Amino acid sequence: MDDPSAIPPVQLSKRAARRLIQRAFVLAGRDRGVRQAFREARLTTAWNLEDWGFPFTLVLDRSKVQFDRCPAKKIDATFAWPSAEQFFEDVESGRMERVQHEGSHEWDRSFELLFTVFASALRGLLQNPVDENGDPLDLCLVVADPQGGNA
């Protein structure tokens, strides 16, 4: 992040990070290439930032990408990062390099595309956190926690 006005991910509260991640997946789901890649898919995927205890579900149903905060019961694939720091490093690079992936590998190339588009959207939101109407997102920044986490 070379932009000095950009919000460093480590300063985001978990609530703010969740809102930005959800918004970035909504934006990624609107991408024509992503919709095309998943046009035949019916998948439920679990995603997790383990050190934050931050699981969420992405449902891919015939070109539609839906974000859900609740863990799903029947999972086709799981993507987990041991730490939020590693997740945001992958977002910065636009590649899923530090992820632990379990489950079906049939859709790996499509998930790489989804993550690349998602990462681009999230980087844009970190630089300019606004909603679809151009209104600023209400984000809470966190000052460093002595235990190394954030609330």
Side-chain angles (χ1 to χ4, degrees), residues 49-117:
L49 309 184
E50 293 174 348
D51 66 335
W52 279 8
F54 178 16
F56 57 92
T57 301
L58 278 184
V59 177
L60 301 127
D61 186 14
R62 306 237 188 245
S63 299
K64 294 179 184 158
V65 178
Q66 297 174 314
F67 181 97
D68 191 350
R69 294 182 199 176
C70 302
K73 292 181 176 141
K74 184 178 178 277
I75 302 295
D76 297 303
T78 301
F79 301 94
W81 285 263
S83 72
E85 181 179 348
Q86 290 175 332
F87 171 77
F88 284 109
E89 287 172 3
D90 279 2
V91 166
E92 191 62 35
S93 73
R95 292 187 297 274
M96 298 172 81
E97 297 174 337
R98 294 160 192 84
V99 69
Q100 298 167 352
H101 177 230
E102 295 178 13
S104 173
H105 290 272
E106 176 184 354
W107 295 92
D108 281 1
R109 290 181 58 140
S110 297
F111 279 114
E112 289 171 14
L113 171 64
L114 172 64
F115 189 82
T116 299
V117 174

